[in-house]
Amino acid sequence: MYRGRLERDLSLWVGKGLIGQETAAKLLTEYDSRPASFSLGRVLMALAAVLLAAAVLLVVASNWEAIPRLVRVGAILALIWAVHIAAASMFARGATAAASGLLVIGAMSFGGAISLVGQMYHLSGDEQTVMYLWFAIATISAILFRSGAVVVVAGFLSWASFAVYLENNDTHWIGLDPWMAPIMAVITIALVRYTGAERARHLAYLLLIGWLAWLYTLYEGIAVALAFAIGGMAVFALTALPYPRIASLVRSAGAAPAFYSFFIAVIGLLLLHIEIEQGWRLVVLGVATLAAAVLAIALHGRDNGAVRYLAYTTFAAEMLYLASVTVGSILGTSSLFLFSGLVVALVAWIVIRLERRFSREARA
């Protein structure tokens, strides 16, 4: 998809005389020489690694009653060492796909080893502690080998750890364990930046959103929903600040920070709509939702397609909702549309003025 768009742009620039045909051909050749972001072989290798790791875990779960304890422990430890040594060898040869698959098997085998030792020697502890240790080992492996595949494993382990907590504590907040979910998410994001496993960052952001949704189930109310809306829009606006340090940090993180912060704000606005169903507060909330959608388009709509479409959807859904709740009064609906139009026009005027100012500063 991107290559086709790039080829069209290069043809357009050649036609306008901005670049030469030879330069355009070199640029296209350079892009084609880059390693593909998607490889069926790598995907199949990862699936094979997951299946083999699942086989190891199932064998461990069977407890190998007929095999002596020391032999069982030695076998699982030998497997862990063997796959990591083989992975290092594969990395040295440049076979990254095979090395990543072996590291996935190694990371999963660690969990099997922990469970095996625990069930054989009846060690004290619980599932939650096992999940923390498993995540920590996967993190260390990802750092040592700088492996994006193991970062993905760590991301899923963070989800599994949070799920284990919710199941064992009946979704209640008990002790300090609930804070581990956002801590694991932050660690996963740091691993993503270190290893370059860009797609794995979504596991961390979705974990944070799931954790916030769980908080709302514990403390339902307008205050929590309002905190989501205001906090999300504050972080979203922060990602659009033109300061060099913030701008470079946001660019290096891709489109995810802006989209997920705006998504949290939209969730907060949705929860506020559930809490507020009528009266002047609903009108204020409706206008605020429309303004948030327009502001999102103004700040990131040009460069961030995910934010743009989410803002379009939010704006359209809000207009339909407000029209449905005021359908009994045509005058009320027309007044709402008139007021919303004036607000959007005012925001558009401010955005145009800011764009012109930034353009003049850029030329200066």
Side-chain angles (χ1 to χ4, degrees):
M1 182 182 296
Y2 174 73
R3 188 191 186 283
R5 187 165 63 248
L6 176 62
E7 189 173 7
R8 290 193 299 270
D9 289 340
L10 290 174
S11 299
L12 178 63
W13 296 335
V14 169
K16 292 184 176 181
L18 298 176
I19 60 175
Q21 183 65 45
E22 184 180 354
T23 303
K26 289 182 179 179
L27 290 173
L28 199 59
T29 302
E30 192 280 331
Y31 175 78
D32 290 336
S33 66
R34 299 177 185 177
S37 58
F38 173 80
S39 171
L40 179 60
R42 292 183 180 181
V43 173
L44 293 176
M45 186 66 71
L47 292 177
V50 171
L51 292 173
L52 292 173
V56 172
L57 293 178
L58 289 175
V59 170
V60 171
S62 67
N63 207 12
W64 301 354
E65 293 295 343
I67 304 176
R69 291 182 177 181
L70 291 179
V71 176
R72 281 181 263 171
V73 175
I76 194 70
L77 291 179
L79 174 64
I80 293 172
W81 276 101
V83 294
H84 281 86
I85 293 174
S89 176
M90 290 294 179
F91 273 125
R93 297 178 183 179
T96 56
S100 298
L102 289 171
L103 287 176
V104 169
I105 296 175
M108 300 296 288
S109 299
F110 270 120
I114 297 171
S115 300
L116 178 63
V117 173
Q119 68 182 227
M120 283 195 311
Y121 296 99
H122 306 289
L123 300 179
S124 60
D126 55 17
E127 293 177 285
Q128 196 67 66
T129 304
V130 170
M131 295 308 303
Y132 291 158
L133 182 58
W134 198 352
F135 177 83
I137 292 172
T139 299
I140 295 172
S141 179
I143 293 173
L144 292 178
F145 289 91
R146 205 160 192 166
S147 171
V150 182
V151 175
V152 174
V153 174
F156 280 112
L157 288 176
S158 66
W159 272 93
S161 175
F162 185 46
V164 167
Y165 171 82
L166 294 179
E167 181 179 359
N168 291 343
N169 296 278
D170 198 22
T171 71
H172 296 307
W173 184 294
I174 299 176
L176 298 177
D177 283 334
W179 290 109
M180 289 302 297
I183 291 175
M184 287 182 174
V186 172
I187 292 174
T188 303
I189 293 174
L191 291 175
V192 167
R193 298 188 67 87
Y194 177 69
T195 62
E198 298 297 328
R199 291 179 177 83
R201 71 171 70 248
H202 298 290
L203 294 172
Y205 288 120
L206 290 174
L207 176 60
L208 287 174
I209 290 176
W211 185 74
L212 291 174
W214 170 64
L215 284 185
Y216 181 76
T217 64
L218 296 179
Y219 310 102
E220 292 185 19
I222 294 179
V224 179
L226 189 62
F228 287 178
I230 295 177
M233 286 305 299
V235 175
F236 177 78
L238 185 64
T239 62
L241 291 179
Y243 297 115
R245 290 184 178 179
I246 296 178
S248 61
L249 182 63
V250 171
R251 282 195 300 269
S252 64
F259 172 76
Y260 284 109
S261 58
F262 182 56
F263 187 52
I264 291 174
V266 171
I267 292 175
L269 292 170
L270 175 62
L271 295 175
L272 286 173
H273 278 81
I274 296 175
E275 299 288 343
I276 301 173
E277 298 181 354
Q278 59 184 358
W280 64 270
R281 294 191 301 172
L282 178 60
V283 176
V284 173
L285 177 59
V287 173
T289 303
L290 296 175
V294 173
L295 181 61
I297 296 173
L299 294 180
H300 282 288
R302 183 186 66 179
D303 302 321
N304 194 323
V307 170
R308 182 168 64 250
Y309 289 119
L310 179 58
Y312 287 158
T313 303
T314 302
F315 190 93
E318 184 63 24
M319 294 302 295
L320 291 173
Y321 172 74
L322 293 175
S324 67
V325 297
T326 58
V327 70
S329 171
I330 296 178
L331 180 60
T333 304
S334 63
S335 300
L336 174 65
F337 286 169
L338 174 62
F339 185 67
S340 300
L342 293 175
V343 171
V344 173
L346 176 62
V347 173
W349 178 78
I350 295 174
V351 169
I352 291 173
R353 294 293 299 271
L354 289 175
E355 288 177 343
R356 290 177 179 174
R357 179 180 176 182
F358 293 150
S359 178
R360 287 196 300 267
E361 292 179 353
R363 287 194 299 269

